[in-house]
Amino acid sequence: MPWLASQAFFHFKPHISLKSSFFKTALVLGLLSAIGPFAIDMYLPALPSIGESLGASMSAVQASLMAFFISLGIGQIIYGPVSDMVGRKAPLYFGMVLFAVGSVGCALAPDIHTLVILRFIQGLGASAGMVIPRAVVRDLHTGHDAARIMSLLMLVFSVSPILAPLVGSLLIEAIGWRSVFWAVTVAAILGLILIATSLPETRPPEERLGSSFGSALGGYWLLLRDKHFLGLVFIGAFGISSFFAYLANSSFVMIDHYGLTPRQYSIAFAANAASFIGMSQLTGRLTGKFGLAPMVKVAVTCYAAIMIILLAVNLMGVDRLDVMLGLLFVGFGFLGLVIPTTAVLALDEHGPIAGTASALMGTLQFVTGAVIMAVTGLFVDGSARPMLAGIAFSAAVAFVLSWVTLRHVKTTPNAAA
């Protein structure tokens, strides 16, 4: 957005060059963060055709998606403390290489079982790009300023859910589903180039002193006893889980149940993603005016109300694609205000162990999402109802957690919680 882009320079710590622009930092971090989700979003239109090509059931194909999410969670809990110990760049290099190797393997997979295993490996690599950019943001800023750069990062990140399904559908139609994995291999190579040429090291050697696996375990123990941190993490976790339920089921619902083509599905998916990302761009302005915690409570309340209404409408027999897409569009917009803000609030008081805190947050959120995806998958019946129930349940839990966690928190417009 223009008002964000006009911020010429970022107030970096002394070891960060003052010539590094606010936008350039967010651009690099956003692109690195988007590589993993790109491997998800390009993949979604291919799920039905993968099942046909490999002779696999819907649940088996969904397992390949769930394996990716589980490894994203497991990998983050490792990369976070390692990045505190050795710096941010080395783990990013390793992750991108592992992701590229896994992507090539997926492109060559002869059966669904091999694909599931290789998707797990691919996710382990991708998790570096999920956890470390958040730690880099915390290295540089806190509070309202962190929310501003996080929202700008989300703008760059939006390239994936908006364009990836469309690109994926075009590749699938023209070449086949395996081409998706060759495309994300190229993305990983570009990520390596970005790390080498455009990303400064934000955790210098003097700040790594005292960081070890022992201190990481101590950090995890400290965080697991921090009820406020855990509350914020799980608000985001169940918010993300509702979107994961949509990710895992939407292609089958819209293509098989409502009869959309893969390309039409990708456009519908992109519209909802655009709502999520577009609203996330307001977080800097709204948190500056109203404060972080109040905005989270209002946004989660609106999101949960809309998703519960959507489920109720479907239960009453209104099974219409336009109704579902309309309410999802509005609801995911409110979710876009929740995810970056809860991440900032959760990390704000844990700067010395930002990598560890970011890792635990990512792990808990992705494991929660994988569980919701698995439970939702147990009730798949070809209709939209199981997906909508998973979304509504997750939104309702996020609503309860937000009002319990933030009930005594009062923030001024320019202060963090």
Side-chain angles (χ1 to χ4, degrees):
M1 293 178 69
W3 69 276
L4 280 172
S6 66
Q7 302 298 317
F9 294 103
F10 203 19
H11 293 293
F12 291 89
K13 293 181 179 180
H15 60 271
I16 303 298
S17 171
L18 293 177
K19 295 181 180 179
S20 298
S21 71
F22 187 95
F23 180 78
K24 179 182 177 182
T25 302
L27 176 64
V28 172
L29 295 178
L31 291 175
L32 291 173
S33 298
I35 288 175
F38 206 70
I40 299 170
D41 300 329
M42 284 187 71
Y43 182 66
L44 295 178
L47 292 180
S49 60
I50 288 173
E52 294 176 9
S53 173
L54 300 180
S57 65
M58 181 190 302
S59 60
V61 175
Q62 286 182 324
S64 69
L65 183 61
M66 189 165 63
F68 189 86
F69 278 107
I70 292 173
S71 62
L72 276 177
I74 293 173
Q76 289 185 63
I77 207 167
I78 299 170
Y79 284 113
V82 169
S83 75
D84 284 340
M85 288 185 281
V86 304
R88 308 305 186 198
K89 294 187 70 170
L92 278 173
Y93 281 125
F94 178 84
M96 288 300 102
V97 170
L98 185 61
F99 177 81
V101 171
S103 299
V104 172
C106 289
L108 301 174
D111 55 62
I112 190 63
H113 302 294
T114 303
L115 181 64
V116 170
I117 294 171
L118 289 167
R119 284 287 278 173
F120 185 88
I121 294 172
Q122 189 190 38
L124 287 177
S127 58
M130 299 296 293
V131 63
I132 295 175
R134 289 196 303 262
V136 170
V137 171
R138 181 55 185 81
D139 287 340
L140 304 175
H141 267 297
T142 61
H144 170 60
D145 288 333
R148 290 170 57 206
I149 192 170
M150 194 74 80
S151 65
L152 185 54
L153 187 152
M154 290 290 290
L155 177 62
V156 179
F157 188 84
S158 68
V159 171
S160 175
I162 293 176
L163 294 183
L166 182 58
V167 173
S169 66
L170 293 174
L171 286 172
I172 293 161
E173 290 176 7
I175 307 174
W177 64 267
R178 295 180 188 273
S179 62
V180 168
F181 294 107
W182 292 117
V184 296
T185 302
V186 173
I189 294 171
L190 293 176
L192 286 168
I193 295 172
L194 280 176
I195 297 167
T197 62
S198 303
L199 185 68
E201 177 57 68
T202 61
R203 189 166 176 86
E206 61 270 20
E207 293 189 5
R208 303 172 202 166
L209 298 176
S211 294
S212 64
F213 283 112
S215 65
L217 291 175
Y220 283 134
W221 178 239
L222 172 69
L223 294 166
L224 289 171
R225 289 180 293 150
D226 187 338
K227 294 181 181 179
H228 184 69
F229 172 81
L230 290 177
L232 289 163
V233 165
F234 279 106
I235 294 168
F238 280 97
I240 290 173
S241 294
S242 65
F243 198 74
F244 284 1
Y246 174 69
L247 284 176
N249 295 278
S250 59
S251 61
F252 294 104
V253 170
M254 294 188 196
I255 294 174
D256 294 340
H257 181 61
Y258 289 113
L260 297 185
T261 66
R263 189 178 303 183
Q264 290 171 332
Y265 162 72
S266 68
I267 294 172
F269 184 90
N272 285 322
S275 174
F276 178 95
I277 300 300
M279 287 296 288
S280 75
Q281 293 312 292
L282 299 178
T283 55
R285 183 175 297 176
L286 292 175
T287 57
K289 185 174 182 180
F290 301 110
L292 298 174
M295 195 191 73
V296 169
K297 290 190 286 187
V298 172
V300 172
T301 300
C302 294
Y303 178 61
I306 291 168
M307 294 311 177
I308 291 171
I309 290 171
L310 175 57
L311 176 61
V313 167
N314 185 271
L315 291 173
M316 289 188 293
V318 180
D319 187 16
R320 291 177 48 177
L321 179 62
D322 56 345
V323 172
M324 184 181 77
L325 290 179
L327 289 174
L328 286 174
F329 181 85
V330 176
F332 285 142
F334 284 107
L335 184 62
L337 296 174
V338 176
I339 303 303
T341 310
T342 53
V344 169
L345 282 168
L347 296 178
D348 219 27
E349 297 179 2
H350 297 287
I353 53 170
T356 300
S358 178
L360 183 61
M361 177 171 65
T363 296
L364 292 175
Q365 290 181 342
F366 274 86
V367 170
T368 302
V371 170
I372 294 297
M373 286 168 57
V375 172
T376 303
L378 296 175
F379 299 95
V380 168
D381 60 3
S383 73
R385 191 162 296 170
M387 178 184 76
L388 298 180
I391 293 172
F393 170 79
S394 299
V397 175
F399 163 76
V400 173
L401 287 172
S402 68
W403 285 91
V404 171
T405 302
L406 301 173
R407 66 186 185 279
H408 298 310
V409 176
K410 295 180 180 180
T411 56
T412 59
N414 294 313

